[in-house]
């Protein structure tokens, strides 16, 4: 009986050893690292406020270049507005453990066709520190490089 359990256990272990997760290309760059410096601070009970360190504020209103993945916010094949992330949509940027990865709302000069592959965008980086419900970061007048 014990041999039977050990055999089943070994079979299950071999299945997990064979199954591999499809790993995406790491898009982290010094600029993504700066964007990741933003954190939230509790200013009173149930009220949080975004904090933007000086190094992050230094790129506000500057033209930057970022590699990443298109995260569509509407149905379609090409987009002039979408979210942009360091992880692909197949990795579900909202799922898993830990924090949601840094994302930026993008508005392009002309539509970009959706792809699962990483792309590089260049545009004007804007920090939204108004406290409204829009995105925290924007990349405006973006163009695909």
């Amino acid at each position: 009986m014990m041999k039977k359990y050990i055999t089943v256990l070994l079979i299950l272990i071999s299945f997990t050893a064979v199954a591999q997760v499809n790993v995406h290309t790491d898009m982290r760059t010094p600029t993504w690292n700066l964007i990741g410096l933003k954190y939230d601070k509790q200013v009173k009970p149930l009220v949080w406020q975004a904090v933007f360190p000086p190094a992050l504020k230094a790129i506000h209103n500057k033209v930057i270049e970022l590699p990443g993945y298109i995260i569509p916010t509407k149905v379609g094949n090409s987009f002039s507005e979408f979210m942009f992330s360091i992880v692909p949509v197949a990795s579900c940027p909202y799922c898993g453990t830990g924090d949601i990865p840094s994302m930026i709302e993008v508005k392009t000069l002309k539509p970009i066709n959706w792809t699962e592959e990483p792309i590089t965008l260049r545009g004007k980086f804007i920090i939204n520190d108004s406290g409204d419900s829009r995105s925290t970061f924007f990349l405006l007048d973006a163009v695909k490089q």
Side-chain angles (χ1 to χ4, degrees), residues 2-69:
M2 186 63 140
K3 277 186 173 182
K4 190 175 191 180
Y5 288 120
I6 291 174
T7 303
V8 170
L9 181 62
L10 288 174
I11 290 171
L12 289 174
I13 290 171
S14 69
F15 282 135
T16 58
V18 172
Q20 293 190 6
V21 176
N22 203 4
V23 177
H24 60 272
T25 304
D26 186 7
M27 295 289 105
R28 195 157 304 276
T29 62
T31 306
W32 273 118
N33 288 340
L34 283 175
I35 293 166
L37 292 176
K38 176 237 168 218
Y39 64 94
D40 295 320
K41 175 175 105 177
Q42 188 171 9
V43 290
K44 53 184 155 176
L46 302 176
V47 177
W48 294 81
Q49 181 179 10
V51 177
F52 306 98
L56 177 56
K57 285 182 179 179
I59 63 171
H60 173 68
N61 249 344
K62 304 270 194 264
V63 174
I64 63 168
E65 202 167 278
L66 283 176
Y69 297 91

Side-chain angles (χ1 to χ4, degrees), residues 126-143:
I126 301 295
I127 296 173
N128 176 15
D129 60 359
S130 68
D132 64 18
S133 62
R134 295 177 303 152
S135 295
T136 306
F137 304 116
F138 289 91
L139 192 63
L140 303 179
D141 299 331
V143 292

